[in-house]
Amino acid sequence: MDLNFNKNEDAFKNLLSKLKVKSEKVKEGGGPVKIEAHHKKGKLTARERIAYLIDDNSDFLEIGVFAGYGMYEEYGGCPSGGVVTGIGYVKDRQCMIVANDATVKAGAWFPITAKKNLRAQEIAMENRLPVIYLVDSAGVFLPMQDEIFPDKEHFGRQFMNNARMSSLGIIQIAAIMGNCVAGGAYLPVMADEAMIVDKTGSIFLAGSYLVKAAIGEEVNNETLGGATTHCEISGVTDNKFDSDEECLDYIRSVMAKIGYFEKAGFNRVNPALPDSDPGHIYGLIPEDRTKPYDMKEVIRSLVDNSVFDEYKKLYGKSLLCGYARVDGWSIGIVANQRKIVKTRNGEMQMGGVIYSDSANKAARFIMNCNQRKIPLVFLQDVSGFMVGKRAEHGGIIKDGAKMVNAVANSVVPKFTFIIGNSYGAGNYAMCGKAYNPRLIFAWPTAQIAVMSGNAAAQTLLQIRVSSEKAKGKTISAEDKKKLLNEIEDKYNSKLSPYYAAARLWIDGIIDPHDTRKIISIGIEAADNAPINDKYNVGMIQT
């Protein structure tokens, strides 16, 4: 190992250490005091409920751990968006699990909570996964009701999705394990089966205080909407249980009896590990993100037996396309090559930039994968498409559009991992969030923006200088430098993968070692939905 490799490895491990600390803090939810208060009511926390529900020693792929990170500070924050979501295994069946975290503002819905719930439902619909809702929520967070209640992708959309999932035959099971208030009360009732925990679970359109204010009637919450009321009088819920554990045991028994549906039929053989040392991957990504590296080495560190069958190896070298396997699953890989490469006519192509020949190659490869029913994996470290007179005269816009078109109309499942840069139109062509990847995760080294911090700062500075000049003012060299630093610092704070994860532009930030697991879980989930599934075809058409 050379000195640069060791330096890169140390820098990457430092980023992973920070990721672990931040993740552990977020997973505390409302904190130890709120958790203890929760336990005193005889209730498990959201994460404890999920741990009890899923199969022993099985994986739980959490979606949106950092949702809301650094947001809503004026209200005390909203760790994980106040809800825990992810793909888990219950009786060997993959399910989407959605569990309100009542230690965070009593499980109230912030704007990011709605976005996270809708993302969970989207994943369930795309992959035809059963959904298990563990409900414990006080409803909409009233100080922000205008940002969560009335719009198309707001609170009410989840109930529309409940209905759409029913029409698609996607199983939905709900357990009322705490508060279930107002509009939120529709969610468990629109599920296929709803159960409730006695004495701690309650469901009503209006609580006792609002009933008193609205119609003058005096009634306590238990009589109004407790387990006995809804299991014995109204019939709103199907069964009641004495504890969280009994309720979760019943859900497991339900899942054990569900039949199997048509599969997509993706190819899988016996899994194999990469040939390289697992720790090798940490030293491959340069600490200095402007330096080149060989993306082929990254791919070999991720795929079974380190075997990568490259497509058009000698053509369009700034993009790597080829076939491989991950955990036995057949995949097609589209990855940005970060090496500086030489073309046949002796020209040098910059690493991380998409050229016309590369875009054409990728478009054809993506179509091949669609024809052969091979899921696609995108590994992003892209600065964008090539610019300049030569590129424009060569039709870079047209060639880039071909690639974007191929990505947009791809019907096989797509999975995206942002390893380094994700800038400009390169984000789109490499299957950014707008292009419906089934899952999209970032490594701690990721940056997502229209352009790099330095390029953006220089551009914004020139605009500012020109504006001042038009007013007859001048800016000294010293002031320019100070202003440039201020602009760059502000811009760079929004490049962070944590900024992206907080807003659910990505599903999470991961250790590179988890990449293989996520691809495997993702394809296993996607295999539940046939390629011609009417939901996914509709997604493409719209």
Side-chain angles (χ1 to χ4, degrees), residues 80 115 186:
S80 280
K115 188 172 184 179
Y186 287 106

Side-chain angles (χ1 to χ4, degrees), residues 97-365:
I97 303 171
V98 179
N100 299 113
D101 186 351
T103 70
V104 179
K105 295 288 187 294
W109 284 55
F110 284 70
I112 199 65
T113 316
K115 188 172 184 179
K116 185 171 177 178
N117 274 268
L118 294 178
R119 174 61 177 150
Q121 290 183 321
E122 177 185 46
I123 292 170
M125 286 189 281
E126 286 176 331
N127 299 291
R128 287 187 171 271
L129 296 180
V131 187
I132 298 172
Y133 302 102
L134 307 180
V135 185
D136 194 345
S137 171
V140 168
F141 185 63
L142 288 178
M144 302 190 76
Q145 63 85 25
D146 61 316
E147 297 181 43
I148 185 177
F149 173 68
D151 209 349
K152 180 179 179 180
E153 298 294 333
H154 281 181
F155 188 67
R157 188 74 175 194
Q158 67 170 335
F159 310 128
M160 179 179 174
N161 286 344
N162 289 144
R164 291 176 72 197
M165 281 190 273
S166 289
S167 73
L168 292 168
I170 297 170
I171 297 157
Q172 299 174 82
I173 299 169
I176 301 159
M177 312 184 88
N179 291 321
C180 186
V181 184
Y186 287 106
L187 185 145
V189 178
M190 292 185 76
D192 302 299
E193 188 166 356
M195 53 219 68
I196 188 168
V197 179
D198 197 18
K199 301 299 186 289
T200 56
S202 59
I203 176 171
F204 33 65
L205 292 180
S208 56
Y209 292 131
L210 184 54
V211 168
K212 172 70 174 176
I215 62 174
E217 183 179 49
E218 292 195 16
V219 60
N220 63 52
N221 283 339
E222 186 63 27
T223 301
L224 187 66
T228 297
T229 294
H230 286 310
C231 284
E232 299 180 24
I233 300 173
S234 72
V236 166
T237 52
D238 300 310
N239 285 295
K240 68 177 180 178
F241 301 91
D242 291 330
S243 67
D244 283 7
E245 290 88 348
E246 285 187 18
C247 186
L248 295 168
D249 285 338
Y250 179 77
I251 293 174
R252 287 180 56 79
S253 72
V254 171
M255 291 304 302
K257 299 174 180 67
I258 292 173
Y260 289 89
F261 300 92
E262 180 186 356
K263 297 287 185 180
F266 300 124
N267 183 284
R268 193 181 195 186
V269 298
N270 291 330
L273 293 172
D275 288 345
S276 63
D277 179 350
H280 180 70
I281 199 166
Y282 296 138
L284 296 176
I285 311 299
E287 182 182 13
D288 180 352
R289 63 193 319 108
T290 65
K291 288 186 175 179
Y293 65 92
D294 191 352
M295 183 64 83
K296 288 183 186 179
E297 288 299 309
V298 175
I299 293 171
R300 292 187 187 108
S301 296
L302 294 174
V303 301
D304 292 9
N305 298 126
S306 298
V307 174
F308 177 55
D309 298 326
E310 198 169 345
Y311 173 78
K312 286 186 178 288
K313 183 177 181 178
L314 302 177
Y315 178 77
K317 295 181 180 179
S318 74
L319 274 178
L320 299 173
C321 299
Y323 306 99
R325 291 189 182 274
V326 166
D327 200 31
W329 293 104
S330 171
I331 61 169
I333 296 174
V334 181
N336 302 110
Q337 175 57 290
R338 285 304 307 267
K339 280 177 65 176
I340 298 171
V341 297
K342 183 183 288 188
T343 64
R344 182 178 177 84
N345 60 14
E347 293 178 356
M348 304 304 290
Q349 292 187 343
M350 293 186 293
V353 176
I354 303 175
Y355 291 78
S356 283
D357 53 357
S358 302
N360 278 315
K361 177 173 82 170
R364 179 70 258 179
F365 177 74

Side-chain angles (χ1 to χ4, degrees), residues 23 26-27 29 47 62-69 78-85 101 104 112-113 116:
S23 179
V26 163
K27 289 179 179 179
R47 294 184 185 280
E62 188 164 351
I63 305 295
V65 175
F66 288 102
Y69 184 78
C78 186
S80 280
V83 61
V84 184
T85 62
D101 186 351
V104 179
I112 199 65
T113 316
K116 185 171 177 178

